[in-house]
Amino acid sequence: MSLLDGLASSPRAPLQSSKARMKKLPKKSQNEKYRLKYLRLRKAAKATVFIITDRPGFHDESAIYPVGYCSTRIYASMKCPDQKCLYTCQIKDGGVQPQFEIVPEDDPQNAI
């Protein structure tokens, strides 16, 4: 048995031949794929986050407060300061101005 016979029967041989059969997408179609993905994500973001433009309390020169925006952060718990807790902040429509609601995961009934 020669060295070449041993390589041909190795478990890697099928993987190499299958890689050779796989074709790469042309760059133009990859760009189109990502362009469509971007448009879909942009549409989803617009549907999720509403920016109220007719009330000045929801935006100024340095910031916007989009109704529906939600963020999370980990800080020390207010109940047990030696433990960490996940806090969720959400911007709600408070009428004239946005209403910020912060809810600790370990005490959800006591929102700030």
Side-chain angles (χ1 to χ4, degrees):
M1 182 175 192
S2 72
L3 181 62
L4 292 176
D5 291 335
L7 288 176
S9 64
S10 73
R12 287 184 157 185
L15 292 176
Q16 290 172 348
S17 63
S18 66
K19 285 184 182 179
R21 281 185 262 145
M22 291 177 25
K23 293 182 180 178
K24 289 187 177 181
L25 292 174
K27 188 157 182 91
K28 190 173 186 179
S29 68
Q30 281 183 337
N31 288 341
E32 181 65 15
K33 178 179 121 179
Y34 288 117
R35 187 184 74 80
L36 293 173
K37 191 173 192 176
Y38 163 75
L39 292 173
R40 193 170 49 249
L41 287 171
R42 187 174 77 173
K43 186 176 181 180
K46 279 185 179 181
T48 303
V49 179
F50 305 101
I51 298 168
I52 298 174
T53 59
D54 63 341
R55 292 180 260 170
F58 287 85
H59 57 87
D60 60 22
E61 292 178 5
S62 62
I64 59 171
Y65 305 105
V67 172
Y69 178 79
C70 184
S71 65
T72 58
R73 297 289 183 270
I74 297 176
Y75 292 111
S77 171
M78 290 187 289
K79 291 173 79 173
C80 289
D82 60 330
Q83 294 181 353
K84 293 183 179 181
C85 176
L86 180 71
Y87 292 88
T88 303
C89 177
Q90 187 174 11
I91 300 176
K92 296 186 173 189
D93 189 350
V96 178
Q97 295 181 344
Q99 177 183 359
F100 298 90
E101 180 182 74
I102 301 171
V103 181
E105 187 178 50
D106 64 350
D107 196 11
Q109 63 274 12
N110 289 326
I112 301 169

